[in-house]
Amino acid sequence: MEERGSLKRDIAIEVKGLSYIYSRGLPYEKEALTSVSIKIFKGEAVGIVGHTGSGKSTLIQHFNGLILPQVGTVKVFGEEIKNDKKFLKELRRRVGLVFQFPESQLFAETVYDDIAFGPRNLKLPEDEVKERVMWAINEVGLTSEYLDRSPFSLSGGEKRRVAIAGVLSMKPEILVLDEPTAGLDPQGTEEILSVVKRLKSEKDVTVIFVSHSMEDILSLVDRIFVLKEGRVVVEGKIEEVFKNKEIVELFDLSVPDIFLLGEELKEKGFKIDEPFRDPLIAKKEIVKNI
């Protein structure tokens, strides 16, 4: 348990002194992470941001053991990750990782079979598999009418939602999404963000959202970690980070215009009680001042 203010919170993921080098010992070795230490608490939604090559994907692949620590430790719900087949199988059930462009991993003839693949690998009874498929397809905002369709006949946003449903069908306690809106059009992006927002409302699910889009990050998470050249250079509540002009300029963070609008209205004397995280909040706060 971890003390934060007057409350104790369970730690979902704890990283201590994590360093990782690709092609270690070879002439072209590359240090991807350097002495990273972070804590992520159960039930919260956090963002991991940074420019390409900052180490984001390397870090999150440690969370479910796809990459094992070279230096330092990673604990999930208090258990240190280790190179043990049985342990890693259970870990990957508890920590679901949605890669960039997950729809490229769709392979089955029907949406149903794609979503059912994970639960079937767990050797669950077919009635429980069906129950999980129905639950997962509903969680991503699609109807059962999609289940008999080929995943390859769907739109980009629909394919990605099916891919996320396949991860959700394992009922992970931690969901990690790596650039989930990359390459989507505005409609597809909004579909995925709606899914993540629904998941965020489920207090038992810890959501870790990796993105280049500060607009997406702002609308979804409570805390962020900023990575630069393999190090965590900033950690804090998202509103506090975006308000700090020195940090924003130093680490080249692209603060969303909607957030800046809220801060500007505050300076002009408007009574703004809630930071502008998305258009709906902005509209509500502005209407109060009319």
Side-chain angles (χ1 to χ4, degrees):
M1 304 283 274
E2 177 72 8
E3 190 80 29
R4 281 174 65 85
S6 61
L7 298 175
K8 289 184 176 180
R9 304 177 67 188
D10 291 319
I11 298 174
I13 295 176
E14 182 174 17
V15 178
K16 284 187 178 180
L18 182 65
S19 297
Y20 191 84
I21 298 175
Y22 287 104
S23 304
R24 186 164 58 168
L26 298 176
Y28 43 87
E29 71 177 22
K30 174 179 171 52
E31 188 166 19
L33 297 173
T34 305
S35 301
V36 171
S37 296
I38 65 173
K39 291 178 183 177
I40 297 171
F41 296 91
K42 183 179 177 182
E44 73 171 340
V46 302
I48 298 178
V49 305
H51 296 300
T52 300
S54 61
K56 304 186 300 297
S57 292
T58 302
L59 175 60
I60 63 172
Q61 287 181 65
H62 280 83
F63 295 167
N64 74 344
L66 286 177
I67 296 178
L68 297 173
Q70 291 174 341
V71 177
T73 60
V74 178
K75 292 183 179 180
V76 177
F77 297 118
E79 291 189 78
E80 185 174 336
I81 291 179
K82 56 190 176 183
N83 191 10
D84 176 87
K85 187 175 180 180
K86 184 177 179 182
F87 174 85
L88 291 174
K89 181 178 180 180
E90 175 63 12
L91 175 68
R92 289 165 189 163
R93 184 194 65 78
R94 301 183 77 184
V95 182
L97 178 55
V98 179
F99 288 102
Q100 291 187 47
F101 306 107
E103 64 273 18
S104 65
Q105 298 169 35
L106 299 175
F107 65 94
E109 290 186 5
T110 67
V111 168
Y112 183 98
D113 287 335
D114 245 311
I115 300 174
F117 180 77
R120 283 172 174 162
N121 271 357
L122 294 176
K123 311 298 184 187
L124 298 176
E126 196 60 32
D127 59 343
E128 185 173 347
V129 170
K130 182 178 180 180
E131 182 181 323
R132 289 189 178 214
V133 170
M134 299 302 292
W135 171 80
I137 197 78
N138 181 67
E139 284 294 299
V140 299
L142 296 176
T143 67
S144 59
E145 294 174 358
Y146 282 82
L147 294 175
D148 291 330
R149 293 176 62 180
S150 165
F152 307 107
S153 69
L154 307 180
S155 70
E158 289 168 342
K159 286 180 182 177
R160 200 160 296 185
R161 284 193 276 173
V162 169
I164 293 173
V167 175
L168 292 180
S169 68
M170 302 287 284
K171 295 203 172 178
E173 297 160 70
I174 300 172
L175 182 65
V176 186
L177 301 111
D178 189 3
E179 299 281 2
T181 62
L184 293 178
D185 60 21
Q187 180 179 342
T189 295
E190 185 52 42
E191 290 172 355
I192 297 303
L193 294 181
S194 295
V195 170
V196 181
K197 287 175 183 177
R198 279 199 296 275
L199 293 171
K200 181 186 173 184
S201 69
E202 299 291 331
K203 298 303 183 184
D204 289 336
V205 178
T206 303
V207 176
I208 301 168
F209 192 89
V210 181
S211 180
H212 281 93
S213 170
M214 294 298 110
E215 287 81 5
D216 293 353
I217 287 286
L218 177 65
S219 70
L220 291 170
V221 310
D222 305 310
R223 280 197 305 139
I224 61 170
F225 299 96
V226 181
L227 270 65
K228 183 176 181 180
E229 297 176 353
R231 298 177 183 272
V232 175
V233 292
V234 178
E235 171 190 349
K237 290 184 177 179
I238 191 165
E239 296 94 344
E240 294 172 357
V241 172
F242 283 172
K243 285 178 187 176
N244 191 318
K245 294 181 180 179
E246 184 178 343
I247 287 177
V248 167
E249 291 175 4
L250 182 61
F251 299 112
D252 192 25
L253 300 179
S254 178
V255 180
D257 289 339
I258 194 166
F259 181 84
L260 295 174
L261 173 63
E263 295 305 299
E264 185 176 339
L265 290 176
K266 278 185 189 177
E267 292 176 4
K268 292 182 180 298
F270 282 69
K271 182 174 173 51
I272 305 297
D273 297 318
E274 190 173 354
F276 287 13
R277 295 170 69 100
D278 59 46
L280 290 178
I281 291 176
K283 180 180 179 181
K284 180 187 74 173
E285 291 292 321
I286 290 171
V287 166
K288 288 189 330 190
N289 285 272
I290 295 177

